[in-house]
Amino acid sequence: MAQLLNDPAEAVPDALRGMAACHPDLHVDLENRVVRRAGGPRPGKVGLVSGGGSGHEPLHAGFVGHGMLDAACCGAVFTSPVPDQVLAATKAVDSGAGVLHVVKNYTGDVLNFRMAAEEADEEDVRVETVLVDDDVAVTDSTWTAGRRGTGATLFVEKVVGAAAEEGLELAELAALGREVVSRSRSFGVALTACTTPGSDRPGFDLAAGEMEVGIGIHGEPGRERVPLAPAREVARTSVTAIADDMPLDGEVLLMVNGMGGTPLLELYVLAADVRAAVEERGGRVVRALVGNYVTSLEMQGSMVSVCRLDERLTRWWDAPVQTPALRWGR
Amino acid sequence: MAQLLNDPAEAVPDALRGMAACHPDLHVDLENRVVRRAGGPRPGKVGLVSGGGSGHEPLHAGFVGHGMLDAACCGAVFTSPVPDQVLAATKAVDSGAGVLHVVKNYTGDVLNFRMAAEEADEEDVRVETVLVDDDVAVTDSTWTAGRRGTGATLFVEKVVGAAAEEGLELAELAALGREVVSRSRSFGVALTACTTPGSDRPGFDLAAGEMEVGIGIHGEPGRERVPLAPAREVARTSVTAIADDMPLDGEVLLMVNGMGGTPLLELYVLAADVRAAVEERGGRVVRALVGNYVTSLEMQGSMVSVCRLDERLTRWWDAPVQTPALRWGR
Amino acid sequence: MSAVGGTALDADAARAWVRRFAELVQESAVELTDLDRPIGDSDHGVNLRRGAVAVLAALDGPDAPATAADVLRAAGTTLVSTVGGASGPLYGTALRRVGKALVGVDAAGGPELARALRAGVDAVVRLGGAEVGDATMVDALLPAVEALEREVAAGTALPEAVGAAVRAAQEGAESTDALVARKGRASYLGERSAGHRDPGAVSSVLLLRALADALGGPA
Amino acid sequence: MSAVGGTALDADAARAWVRRFAELVQESAVELTDLDRPIGDSDHGVNLRRGAVAVLAALDGPDAPATAADVLRAAGTTLVSTVGGASGPLYGTALRRVGKALVGVDAAGGPELARALRAGVDAVVRLGGAEVGDATMVDALLPAVEALEREVAAGTALPEAVGAAVRAAQEGAESTDALVARKGRASYLGERSAGHRDPGAVSSVLLLRALADALGGPA
Ligand SMILES: Nc1ncnc2c1ncn2[C@@H]1O[C@H](COP(=O)(O)OP(=O)(O)O)[C@@H](O)[C@H]1O
Ligand SMILES: Nc1ncnc2c1ncn2[C@@H]1O[C@H](COP(=O)(O)OP(=O)(O)O)[C@@H](O)[C@H]1O
Ligand SMILES: [Mg+2]
Ligand SMILES: [Mg+2]
Ligand SMILES: [Mg+2]
Ligand SMILES: [Mg+2]
């Protein structure tokens, strides 16, 4: 629970000040807690807005920039942003071509983004929404809140972001985003819990030698507590859960994501085993990303995310991106 | 001490297998534990070799690629590589233009690289060495082991790497590397300790509400144990220690580096305060890097590194780089 | 000052309701967050407290709302704008709908109040899609409004009728202990969500209790 | 089998010395790592154990070295190639130098052995630049070789002379308790390094003890 903060209640605005201090390419609207590209909306380009609770950094603000998001709305830690923030971001990035909301499937995110979209509609900004619900740990059903949006959010933001730069229209981008979602699955485990700033204890207590499997990205416990397993088994459990839900044949993009506090050394150990497990299932890993990208504060653990690529998706994945956390091609 | 590994004794080779599995741009020599660019040496270009103990990821293997290192030698966790590894890397990347060793100033690293350099010399490979000793927590003196090489290693590898792509010669690159070292300083703090794979306990025990200041990057305790301070004070302590050693006027490159387990949210909070502290001292932060780049496994904490730029250094810092962990411009 | 002895919800009583809710939320914030820890993300109390502080500020000042309808709409809008998460839009919209149903009503008696509360609870159900038994705030809110309707139809005096609603809410909240959640974050836990009380159901009891306190006489 | 009663270091005794050192290192690996924890990076025992395993392997097999000089040079080379850190090059080079000094010597008596050990310790000093009092392995090694030289000059029998060297090494290691380190990782701690025994000094005692054991009779 050792945290490098000033006032825990001000962690989010303080961090946004840090982003402003270190990324001249970004414009940080401290009042609305919205991070945008410094340049403003490019005429004719659909605006891409995402956001959610803070504590998942670099998601989302770290993905604002050329080839990815136009704006990110930063809620309190693990709490979706409010409609006012989303509306402000939406209006700021609309060039007239409309705005796509990329929303992780949580009741709070869904409701707050939906209210903002309705208000935007009243102000004549066209909005479409892509819901990300890639987490196979949760059994899907129309009677429940459905699956959580987790690692695949990065895939959607990257691919749709690249397509938006190419000039695709709002409806096309929404369809593309939904296609990425339908081709993506994730599964996570926690080796330690995390503590929300201002809280006096972690979200759960794990004894030495235990782990939580089937976790989300909000420091919540998972579907099950089991004995700590070697990386090889974590890989097998994760890939099996994914493959049981979506066949893994063909070319895939693989993300071996750390939950925030897991060192890269361990993530690479896991990555070797995950790749082997994916290939055992018939998948061919043609693109891979290893690192802490979609996180739960200082939690140790991993999330395996897979996206089944096709030629278009691969091209958009490879397209130039220039954000604080993901950058290549320019 | 929850670790995502298989056999702790095999953590380094297992992680190297993961790098091989995820980075087709890299060639991983598992026998020598050397990571190289897949393409092999470019005729006429000086080879750039670094390395050290593992556990600092992405340093060094994550910095192999265009615009940075040609090869990285991966020792056991927190243990310098042996001469055989360094020699293998050195010979593999020599195109005839000679090889520059970037060595962090630890007795082990210095001795092992020196023995390799002597052997390389016997095999007619020209080698020059740049020693990085940027850590101001250690009082420098000819009677001691001197200062540790820490965050500035990244600066040296990036700047010299860019200059090497431009065709500078071995002696010029060595001089440039030494210049970067002379213009760089670092200072770190730990909020938690870390545990070497295979060990049954962390390097030190911190009670809640304590921190170690003046740490290195090997999980060792620092110069002093003090009560946990807010980010603002950590920033002030770090920048004061640096500024007391090197005037901070003019344009500077700033790295606010996490020790591995510190979430980005906290690093950005710190970054705002560090930037303010640097500017109070008359420095102008014109380039900034925030993230976990030079780490001690899962340790929570921060390291502030500063490099005083000039027009050449800025240009080489901005030059294209394409490595797993640092990538821009291509 | 509030209406005499709680015979109706006028502007003062609406203000007292909202204020009391804000007070209760602040008092219970740690408890609400603790309830959210094992089955959620440890923020329900933090979220509502942030809203409570903002609501209290919105009730004062030069543009303070003047009618019961405006008080409740302002409170709802403030919650929407400050709470975030699932509970912000749900409680915020609920209060806005309650306020909307009271437009033109100077002092809402039993039937008007029951109708207004029903409008609020319907909004929660419509937005969130939860039914009774899903282990959400609906498990407290729906029985509460049903009890209020029943008592008002039976001619029970307002304070007593609202008292019945509070008890129904409380029982509803308790009923979530045994449930496997089907909505909200707790649903992610599957079977593991059973054995825990839903934090939103508990804060909903506070909303009803605040109303009872406001109508019990001058705050 | 070793030379009779430890009157000289021949190939068998050299093998016994190296083997015994490897054994002692493996037995003490945890202790050595624990000593390295408060003032270093918790790996001294891990490093030396890795080397010990490799050295034992190098002593066997078809290309096993045949002379005392070759045994020690092979052991040194193996340590350099497998240990890493500060201790790998230091111990490795030291043993290589000891071996080099014994080239052409079939069975080293006191003077030859003292000269060879001196060459090894000189290499450590030259490579590492440490002096007695810096809180390193030199604090054990230098007094040990001085004691050996003294005793050999005084005509003491070899096993006893080496016994004196062991005692000197042990005292030297103990002397590091009080010292503020000036070399090695412990030096980074400044004043905080005082109050801890240097792990390399302790492993140096093992090196001397292994020699004494090898010369005390057949291993
Ligand atoms: N679909 C839904 N319908 C009704 N109430 C819900 C729904 N989803 C969540 N809730 C309520 O919201 C509460 C959680 O609120 P809060 O913790 O503030 O938001 P979040 O879940 O976004 O962190 C739950 O305890 C539950 O009562
Ligand atoms: N400059 C030096 N001269 C002599 N011995 C040294 C020197 N530096 C370190 N040592 C010895 O090496 C030991 C540490 O070895 P080890 O832990 O294996 O390597 P590292 O310090 O690289 O982790 C120290 O205890 C000390 O005795
Ligand atoms: Mg929340
Ligand atoms: Mg070491
Ligand atoms: Mg919650
Ligand atoms: Mg050590």
Side-chain angles (χ1 to χ4, degrees), chain A residues 327 330, chain B residues 158-159 162 253 286-288 309 311-321 327-330:
Chain A
R327 195 165 171 176
R330 64 181 257 159
Chain B
K158 173 66 185 80
V159 168
L253 158 63
V286 296
R287 295 293 183 277
L309 293 171
E311 184 267 322
R312 287 154 68 238
L313 298 193
T314 307
R315 190 164 53 78
W316 281 318
W317 178 257
D318 289 343
V321 59
R327 193 163 170 176
W328 56 72
R330 63 181 257 160

Side-chain angles (χ1 to χ4, degrees), chain C residues 179-196:
Chain C
L179 295 172
V180 172
R182 276 193 300 260
K183 286 283 192 281
R185 293 182 185 282
S187 68
Y188 306 139
L189 290 176
E191 301 293 327
R192 266 179 120 180
S193 67
H196 296 281

Side-chain angles (χ1 to χ4, degrees), chain A residues 74-162:
Chain A
C74 307
V77 171
F78 296 160
T79 303
S80 76
V82 298
D84 311 45
Q85 295 178 268
V86 180
L87 183 64
T90 303
K91 286 160 69 178
V93 307
D94 181 40
S95 70
V99 175
L100 187 70
H101 286 178
V102 178
V103 181
K104 302 194 297 302
N105 186 39
Y106 300 95
T107 310
D109 295 73
V110 169
L111 294 179
N112 284 283
F113 271 87
R114 190 197 295 161
M115 292 178 83
E118 278 164 18
E119 289 184 55
D121 185 63
E122 279 172 32
E123 302 194 27
D124 292 322
V125 177
R126 282 184 303 142
V127 172
E128 288 271 354
T129 300
V130 173
L131 264 195
V132 186
D133 59 346
D134 54 312
D135 169 31
V136 298
V138 173
T139 325
D140 204 4
S141 139
T142 44
W143 305 107
T144 65
R147 287 177 161 173
R148 296 172 284 207
T150 59
T153 316
L154 183 153
F155 299 161
V156 174
E157 294 177 1
K158 173 67 185 80
V159 168
V160 173

Side-chain angles (χ1 to χ4, degrees), chain C residues 9 17 67-70 72-73 93-123:
Chain C
L9 189 87
W17 179 18
T67 65
D70 284 349
L72 289 161
R73 291 200 291 196
T93 307
L95 290 191
R96 288 212 294 219
R97 291 292 164 162
V98 173
K100 189 175 177 196
L102 293 178
V103 168
V105 181
D106 267 355
E112 289 95 344
L113 185 57
R115 217 163 24 241
L117 269 187
R118 167 61 76 175
V121 174
D122 279 354

Side-chain angles (χ1 to χ4, degrees), chain A residues 78-80 107-108, chain C residues 36 41 43-44 47-48 83-88 90 124 128-130 135-138 183-185 198-201:
Chain A
F78 296 160
T79 303
S80 76
T107 310
Chain C
D36 199 23
D41 58 349
D43 65 358
H44 187 52
N47 292 344
L48 288 187
V83 173
S87 57
L90 293 173
V124 170
T136 71
M137 58 173 69
V138 170
K183 286 283 192 281
R185 293 182 185 282
D198 179 64

Side-chain angles (χ1 to χ4, degrees), chain A residues 129-207:
Chain A
T129 300
V130 173
L131 264 195
V132 186
D133 59 346
D134 54 312
D135 169 31
V136 298
V138 173
T139 325
D140 204 4
S141 139
T142 44
W143 305 107
T144 65
R147 287 177 161 173
R148 296 172 284 207
T150 59
T153 316
L154 183 153
F155 299 161
V156 174
E157 294 177 1
K158 173 67 185 80
V159 168
V160 173
E165 299 294 344
E166 275 189 14
L168 267 72
E169 289 177 9
L170 182 56
E172 296 172 313
L173 293 172
L176 176 63
R178 288 178 198 123
E179 193 189 338
V180 175
V181 172
S182 77
R183 290 166 163 274
S184 300
R185 298 291 188 280
S186 298
F187 189 88
V189 309
L191 275 63
T192 65
C194 64
T195 303
T196 311
S199 184
D200 61 348
R201 60 207 149 108
F204 51 89
D205 293 304
L206 270 181

